[in-house]
Amino acid sequence: MSGVEHAVEIRDLHKSFGELEVLKGIDFSVEPGQVVCVIGPSGSGKSTLLRCVNLLEQPTSGRVVLEGIELTDPDVDLDAARRRVGMVFQQFNLFPHMTVLENVMIAQRRVLKRGKAEADRVARENLEKVGIAEKCDAYPAQLSGGQQQRVAIARALAMNPALMLFDEPTSALDPELVGDVLAVMRKLAEEGMTMLVVTHEMAFARDVADRVVFMDGGVIVEDGPAAQVIGDPQQERTKAFLRRVLDPTHTDV
Amino acid sequence: MTDHLKAAEPSRPAGTPSGRAGLSPRKKQRISRAVQYVVLAALVVFLALRVEWGPLGQNFAKGEVAGEMFPDLFTVALKNTIIYSVGGFVFAFLLGLVFALMRMSSVRPYRWIAVAYIEIFRGLPALLIFLLILFLPLALPGFEVPGGTYGQGILGLTVVGAAYMAETLRAGLQAVPKGQMEAARSLGMSHARAMVSIVIPQAVRIVIPPTTNQFVALLKDSSLVLFLGVSGEYVELTKFGNDMASTYANATPILVVGITYLLVTIPLGYLASRLERRQAKGR
C-alpha cells in the first residue's frame, strides 16, 4: 500500500440533484495535517463537495474514504464516522435554545457520553482557544456573527475531530468580523489540524493553505501549492476567476 | 350639495387650498363620526327603556340562586373542567407529536396513517366523537375506557385535540431551520437524537402561542362531556350550570358558569399574546 493513510480520499465522486449534475467526477485527497482551500465561482460545486465528505449529501456515485473507513459503504456506521469530522457552516447553525457552553457540551455528553465535569472542562478549553471563554452563559442571539462562528468552531473541536470542514465560514460575516474567525482558523492550521476549507478569502488561501484546489463546473480545474495556484495559475479558467476576484473593479464586462 | 362640490373640484387649479364653500375631508369625517355617536346613544337609550329590568334580573342574575352554586362551582365543576381539559391537552400533545413525526416520516405508510387520522378527526364535529365514545362499549363488548368517566372525557378531547395539535406541531417542526438538523448530524448525533435534543425543543417553543389558543379551544370543548351522561362528582361547568338552571327554573347558573369560563380563558388569551410578543422579540 501507499504507506501513509490519507485523511480523506475521494474517488470519482458524482453528485446530481435531479437532472442537474453538480459534481462530475472529483478525485482528490487530503493528507493528515494538510490545509486545503477549495476556491471557485458560486455554483461550481465546492460546497456540495464539502457536504459529500461527511455525507450530509449522499453522493450519486463514487467513494469517500475517511481515515481508511469508506463512508460511502451502505453498511458503515455513519454517525460514528461523522464524529471524526468537524463541520463549520456559513450560517453558524448554533443551537439557539442553549447557552454557548451547552452548545459546546451537548454532543460531547450525548454522543461521546462524556461525564458532565469532563464535557464542561473540554468545552471551556475550546472556548478559551477561540477567545470567547467569557461568553459561556450567553445565548447565541446575544453574540455577534464572528463570536457565533467561533463558538461553532469550538463546538466542532470539542469532539476531537481528525478533520475539520469549513463551508464558507466568513461569508455571512460583517467585513470587520472576518479577521477574528480567520485568526482562529490560522491558529488551528498552525497546530497541525487537517482542514478542508471552502472560501472566498484569497489572502487566507494564499497565506495559510498548503494546497489550493480550483473548481469550476463540477470538476477540479487546477490543484497545486497555494502560491502556484493563486500566484501563477496555469489554467485559463483559473486565471479568469482570479482576475475577477482579486481585481473586481477592472473586470471586463 | 355633493353635485355642486364635484362640479367645482376640477376647475380649481391643483395645489390651491380649497375655499370656505366646500367641507374639507376632515370636517366631513367629523360630522359623520358625530352622527354615528348620536345613533348609537339613541339605540342604547331605546333598549334600556324597552327592557323590563325586573324580570330580566330575576331570570339571569338572581342572587339566591347564584349563592346556591357555591362552593360546588369551584370545588367540583371548575375542578373537573380543568381535569378534563388538562388531561385532554397533555395526551393530545403527545399523540399530536407522534402524528406530526409520522406525517414527516420517510416511511410512506406512516405518512398515510397520519394524514388519514388528521383529515378524519379534524373534519368531524367534536360532539360526534363524544357520542361515538359513548357507544364504544357496545361496539367492543367488554371494553372499558380506563379511568372511567374522566377517562372517557379525556379520551374524547384527546382524539379531537391530537388532530389539530399534529398540524400545529408539524408546522413548528418544519419552521426549525434545516441547518439545525445538519449541525446536529455533523456532530455525530443520530437522526432520533438530533430530533429529541435539538429540533423538538425548538419546535415546541415555536408552537407555544398557537398551542395556548388550542388549550382554550379544548377547555371550551370539555363542555361536550355533558353528552357522556356524567353526573355527581364528575360534572364539569356546563353540565353543572345546566343542572342548576333546571333545578331552579332560572338562567342565573348559566350566566355564572359563563363568567367562570371567562375567568380562565381571558387570562389565557392574554398569556398567549404575551408569549407571542416575547417570541417575536427573541428572534
Side-chain angles (χ1 to χ4, degrees):
Chain A
M1 287 290 288
S2 55
V4 184
E5 207 166 60
H6 302 295
V8 191
E9 188 184 358
I10 292 167
R11 288 289 158 252
D12 197 29
L13 190 75
H14 290 259
K15 173 69 187 175
S16 304
F17 294 102
E19 292 287 289
L20 182 71
E21 193 174 25
V22 178
L23 297 179
K24 300 171 181 166
I26 303 284
D27 283 283
F28 90 112
S29 52
V30 181
E31 307 310 324
Q34 239 183 9
V35 177
V36 177
C37 280
V38 183
I39 61 172
S42 53
S44 59
K46 318 181 289 285
S47 286
T48 307
L49 170 64
L50 201 69
R51 293 161 59 84
C52 280
V53 171
N54 68 353
L55 261 72
L56 278 182
E57 300 290 356
Q58 179 73 43
T60 311
S61 68
R63 280 157 41 95
V64 177
V65 182
L66 182 81
E67 293 188 305
I69 301 165
E70 188 187 335
L71 298 189
T72 34
D73 176 352
D75 292 322
V76 80
D77 181 354
L78 206 51
D79 296 330
R82 281 201 185 111
R83 279 169 222 165
R84 305 286 295 145
V85 187
M87 176 130 181
V88 175
F89 299 84
Q90 184 177 348
Q91 298 297 337
F92 328 137
N93 292 346
L94 291 183
F95 306 133
H97 58 303
M98 299 179 183
T99 64
V100 164
L101 193 65
E102 287 164 350
N103 261 279
V104 186
M105 282 173 68
I106 178 88
Q108 294 189 64
R109 300 269 287 137
R110 297 279 180 266
V111 177
L112 300 181
K113 309 287 180 200
R114 282 183 185 153
K116 195 165 181 190
E118 192 193 358
D120 184 272
R121 182 180 56 77
V122 174
R124 285 177 196 278
E125 270 172 26
N126 282 294
L127 286 167
E128 184 83 43
K129 194 173 192 173
V130 299
I132 345 209
E134 76 281 8
K135 297 281 186 187
C136 278
D137 298 319
Y139 282 87
Q142 297 166 306
L143 303 182
S144 74
Q147 290 170 328
Q148 289 192 47
Q149 193 59 296
R150 285 184 282 154
V151 174
I153 294 173
R155 180 175 69 177
L157 288 177
M159 303 295 285
N160 301 108
L163 166 72
M164 285 283 284
L165 306 175
F166 292 85
D167 187 4
E168 303 195 21
T170 57
S171 296
L173 297 178
D174 290 337
E176 79 270 24
L177 303 175
V178 168
D180 294 341
V181 172
L182 290 181
V184 168
M185 290 169 62
R186 177 192 285 267
K187 195 162 97 180
L188 271 182
E190 282 162 2
E191 288 172 4
M193 175 62 76
T194 313
M195 294 162 64
L196 185 54
V197 185
V198 170
T199 187
H200 291 297
E201 301 291 337
M202 291 306 143
F204 177 83
R206 191 176 48 215
D207 297 349
V208 180
D210 300 304
R211 257 171 66 207
V212 171
V213 173
F214 173 70
M215 277 183 74
D216 192 14
V219 294
I220 291 178
V221 177
E222 197 158 349
D223 178 352
Q228 186 201 312
V229 175
I230 293 179
D232 182 23
Q234 304 299 306
Q235 300 291 327
E236 205 40 57
R237 276 195 277 177
T238 320
K239 287 179 191 168
F241 171 74
L242 287 169
R243 258 201 312 277
R244 279 199 304 270
V245 172
L246 297 175
D247 196 6
T249 49
H250 288 95
T251 302
D252 301 323
V253 183
Chain B
M1 184 175 141
T2 40
D3 284 344
H4 162 75
L5 267 178
K6 272 192 186 137
E9 218 86 57
S11 64
R12 209 182 294 143
T16 323
S18 61
R20 289 275 152 202
L23 286 168
S24 72
R26 188 178 63 95
K27 280 181 183 154
K28 272 191 266 181
Q29 200 183 23
R30 203 184 271 175
I31 289 169
S32 141
R33 182 83 46 88
V35 170
Q36 289 177 47
Y37 280 137
V38 169
V39 170
L40 202 63
L43 255 168
V44 169
V45 170
F46 174 74
L47 275 178
L49 293 176
R50 271 305 288 270
V51 168
E52 295 177 48
W53 289 105
L56 191 77
Q58 278 300 301
N59 259 302
F60 278 99
K62 200 170 178 188
E64 307 91 86
V65 176
E68 289 295 322
M69 298 176 72
F70 293 93
D72 284 1
L73 175 69
F74 292 119
T75 57
V76 177
L78 180 60
K79 187 194 82 180
N80 282 337
T81 288
I82 286 173
I83 288 176
Y84 289 124
S85 328
V86 171
F89 180 77
V90 169
F91 286 109
F93 187 90
L94 296 175
L95 193 62
L97 185 59
V98 170
F99 281 122
L101 292 172
M102 280 172 77
R103 173 114 201 233
M104 292 166 66
S105 163
S106 52
V107 184
R108 201 170 293 169
Y110 281 175
R111 290 205 301 270
W112 292 336
I113 294 169
V115 168
Y117 180 90
I118 292 165
E119 292 300 335
I120 290 172
F121 287 101
R122 211 175 39 171
L124 291 178
L127 177 53
L128 201 71
I129 311 284
F130 277 87
L131 294 176
L132 280 174
I133 287 173
L134 201 55
F135 284 97
L136 218 50
L138 278 178
L140 306 165
F143 174 81
E144 219 172 291
V145 180
T149 309
Y150 283 136
Q152 284 185 325
I154 289 172
L155 176 66
L157 293 172
T158 301
V159 167
V160 179
Y164 289 97
M165 211 71 94
E167 283 296 86
T168 308
L169 280 165
R170 181 177 64 95
L173 288 167
Q174 285 173 341
V176 176
K178 232 180 104 204
Q180 293 290 311
M181 176 56 91
E182 290 184 348
R185 294 308 295 276
S186 79
L187 288 166
M189 291 189 199
S190 66
H191 183 87
R193 168 47 68 193
M195 268 288 173
V196 169
S197 292
I198 307 299
V199 178
I200 291 176
Q202 292 184 54
V204 167
R205 263 158 241 243
I206 292 170
V207 301
I208 283 175
T211 307
T212 313
N213 286 325
Q214 238 151 39
F215 179 72
V216 171
L218 217 57
L219 190 93
K220 292 188 291 177
D221 278 348
S222 71
S223 62
L224 296 170
V225 169
L226 173 71
F227 290 93
L228 291 175
V230 295
S231 60
E233 54 177 321
Y234 295 114
V235 297
E236 45 65 64
L237 279 170
T238 301
K239 170 80 172 154
F240 178 73
N242 192 33
D243 289 353
M244 293 288 272
S246 309
T247 309
Y248 295 96
N250 188 288
T252 307
I254 310 259
L255 192 80
V256 173
V257 160
I259 292 169
T260 313
Y261 273 114
L262 294 179
L263 283 179
V264 181
T265 53
I266 291 178
L268 272 176
Y270 270 107
L271 185 71
S273 53
R274 267 196 60 174
L275 289 170
E276 211 161 338
R277 251 174 304 161
R278 215 183 65 179
Q279 202 172 58
K281 246 190 290 175
R283 299 243 129 201

